[in-house]
Structures are given as structure tokens and as C-alpha cells.
Amino acid sequence: MLDNADLGKLIVRLTLGGLLLFHGIAKLFHGVGFIEGQLASHGIPAFFAWGVFIGELLAPLMVILGYQTRIGALLIAFNMLVAIALVHSHELLSLGGSGGWALELQGFFLFIAVAVVFLGPGRYKLKN
């Protein structure tokens, strides 16, 4: 019998991982120069920019596949906290152009990742 809770967890995992994966793929093709610059402007060594591939490629794949899902979701949450702190902190209490929260996308990734940390992968996952 199909378990609605496990199906819901799968949908959440696929949405979180799938949407964030596009950001990682874009950085794979276009580089991390912007992130290197942001890190350097905060006195952080630029080579840490390569960590974005962990947070936006590896971690989303872990979440999508259900392999070490909670660890993958925790990596995504950390990635989003760093992005918010380095690039978006000035928008934390701002409205966007269409009236929503300026950080809707970052907030979505952060809070859904935290939810996945607590929910776990559900039944539909790779065995680990």
C-alpha cells in the first residue's frame, strides 16, 4: 500500500534537490568567480568558493537519491546560511519587487532543507 507520508517526503526531496541542483549546474558551467569575490571581500580565502559544489551539486544529489539524506540536507542548509550571510544579509528584512520576501528562494531552500533534516528520507530512497 502506498504511504502518503513517504510519498510526500519523496516529493519534498525531489523538489529541494532538483531545484537547487540547477544552481549548482550553472556554477559548474559558469564558474565560481562571483563567490570567490564575495568570500575575499569578507576576508575569507577564495578557495572556499569551491565548497559551493558540495552544497549545490553533491548535497542535492544525496537528497534526491535518498542517500545520507539528512547529511545532504544539513549541507544544503549550511550552504544557504553562508549564501545569506555573504550575499543577501542586506535583504533579510526586505520585500522583493513583486511584494514577497526578497529572500523567498533562499528561505525556501534553507527551511525545506531543515525540514528534511528532521523528517528524513522516507521509504523511497537508496539503501544506505
Side-chain angles (χ1 to χ4, degrees):
M1 184 168 152
L2 192 61
D3 182 4
N4 287 340
D6 286 319
L7 183 59
K9 290 175 185 179
L10 175 64
I11 292 168
V12 169
R13 284 186 11 238
L14 294 176
T15 303
L16 171 63
L19 292 176
L20 188 56
L21 191 60
F22 285 113
H23 292 266
I25 291 169
K27 288 175 181 74
L28 191 61
F29 286 118
H30 301 292
V32 293
F34 173 75
I35 299 167
E36 289 174 329
Q38 288 295 316
L39 290 168
S41 74
H42 287 84
I44 301 169
F47 73 86
F48 281 113
W50 294 93
V52 76
F53 293 119
I54 294 170
E56 295 186 11
L57 285 175
L58 178 63
L61 288 172
M62 292 169 70
V63 169
I64 289 168
L65 296 172
Y67 178 76
Q68 299 292 326
T69 305
R70 286 186 162 109
I71 294 171
L74 197 58
L75 289 168
I76 291 171
F78 178 75
N79 183 71
M80 293 317 305
L81 287 171
V82 171
I84 290 168
L86 291 180
V87 181
H88 302 286
S89 60
H90 67 283
E91 299 172 291
L92 202 53
L93 301 175
S94 300
L95 294 177
S98 60
W101 184 32
L103 299 183
E104 285 176 350
L105 185 62
Q106 295 81 5
F108 168 81
F109 289 138
L110 172 61
F111 295 118
I112 298 303
V114 170
V116 171
V117 168
F118 288 108
L119 289 171
R123 181 186 321 163
Y124 309 113
K125 62 178 182 166
L126 287 180
K127 299 291 182 202
N128 51 1

